[in-house]
Every structure is written in C-alpha cells, then in structure tokens.
Amino acid sequence: ATGCVMLIRCSALREAGLFDERFFGQCEDVDLSLRVRAAGYSVRYAPGAKLWHKEGVDYRKNAGEQARRFTGARNLLWLMHKHAKAIQWVTFWPCFLVRYVGILGLRSIKAGDYQSAWALFRGILAFRQMRRDSSANVPDDIAFGRQRRPGTAVE
C-alpha cells in the first residue's frame, strides 16, 4: 500500500510495528505493508478511490532531486535486504542497474545535474554502510539539497 494514503488497523501496527525510520522518505510504506502481511493481515486497495498525489514534489521543493536519488537507491536496496529471497535478487539486480544506475544516472548527467548522479552512487554506498551498522543518517549536503563546504553552516 502506498504511504500517501492508507488506512490501517491499530492491531496491525501493534503487531508489525511502526514505520522503520531508517528508510527516511522512500520505501517505508512498502516495508510496512510487507511486515503487516507477514503478521497475517491482508493488504488491499480500493480501485474506486481517487487520490491526487504529486510524487516527488516535496523532495524537489525542500531537499532537491539529489536527495530523492540518494534515498531512492539506498532505500530500495535496504528494502530488498530486509525482505527479498535470494532468487528475487537475481531479477532485481538487472532492473536496478538499468533503471536506477543507468537511466536515472544518465538522465541526471544529460540534464547537467551531476550532484543527483553522484547522490545516486552515494545512496548505494550508504546502503553498504547501513548493512554494517544500520546507520540511517542522510548526509547534510543531501538532506538540505546542496553541497556544503566544510566548516560552513546550513542556513
């Protein structure tokens, strides 16, 4: 279920737990849905319901596209790490490498947005760090949507 709109039983949240804060911004809703299903609840959607959701507007407005690229790569890998079976990684890697690394990386470079392309690779590296120490930190220059010089304050 998408996190932009969901109804969920309190008993399901008590059993499955709340959102995993390590995700910060993307994939937390999918993680919660998978944990709710694993707890024995069903996840359903209402095809007749209507919702208008401008995906990525908050990221672009408040943090920048590089934050979206960083958290997208890192969190998708973290979601797979938490929930995927070994066989699912076989199909995931080609899709991830083509879509995230290939298409999104090249799209950023073509647009001259080298920070977003680099943020994508930093997200992959951050996933490796999360596996080692479960760190959820988003670097300041990613979280605030711009590069910082060492020793300068964020406004």
Side-chain angles (χ1 to χ4, degrees):
T2 180
C4 67
V5 62
M6 76 172 42
L7 296 171
I8 187 165
R9 294 180 185 273
C10 289
S11 58
L13 284 176
R14 279 191 214 95
E15 204 166 327
L18 300 174
F19 286 117
D20 181 345
E21 292 181 7
R22 292 174 290 190
F23 282 102
F24 178 74
Q26 292 187 43
C27 298
E28 72 282 356
D29 47 0
V30 179
D31 171 64
L32 179 61
S33 294
L34 291 170
R35 288 186 287 117
V36 164
R37 281 184 43 196
Y41 293 88
S42 62
V43 175
R44 299 180 184 186
Y45 77 102
K50 294 190 190 267
L51 170 77
W52 287 265
H53 174 58
K54 293 185 177 185
E55 180 186 356
V57 169
D58 280 341
Y59 268 109
R60 285 189 289 277
K61 182 177 166 187
N62 298 315
E65 191 63 25
Q66 63 271 21
R68 190 169 181 220
R69 296 283 192 251
F70 176 89
T71 57
R74 184 195 67 172
N75 294 357
L76 188 54
L77 289 166
W78 187 250
L79 182 75
M80 289 294 291
H81 174 71
K82 282 184 71 174
H83 297 285
K85 297 178 174 104
I87 191 69
Q88 291 169 317
W89 282 97
V90 172
T91 57
F92 170 79
W93 276 117
C95 292
F96 179 79
L97 292 173
V98 169
R99 180 168 177 352
Y100 272 86
V101 177
I103 294 173
L104 293 179
L106 289 174
R107 188 180 296 159
S108 295
I109 291 169
K110 185 177 178 185
D113 186 2
Y114 303 107
Q115 286 184 333
S116 292
W118 177 235
L120 189 148
F121 290 104
R122 288 178 65 192
I124 295 168
L125 296 173
F127 162 70
R128 292 185 61 196
Q129 181 66 31
M130 285 177 77
R131 287 188 60 204
R132 284 196 278 289
D133 66 12
S134 295
S135 170
N137 296 334
V138 176
D140 285 347
D141 61 309
I142 296 292
F144 291 98
R146 61 176 179 264
Q147 291 289 83
R148 272 188 3 184
R149 290 187 305 268
T152 60
V154 175
E155 297 172 0

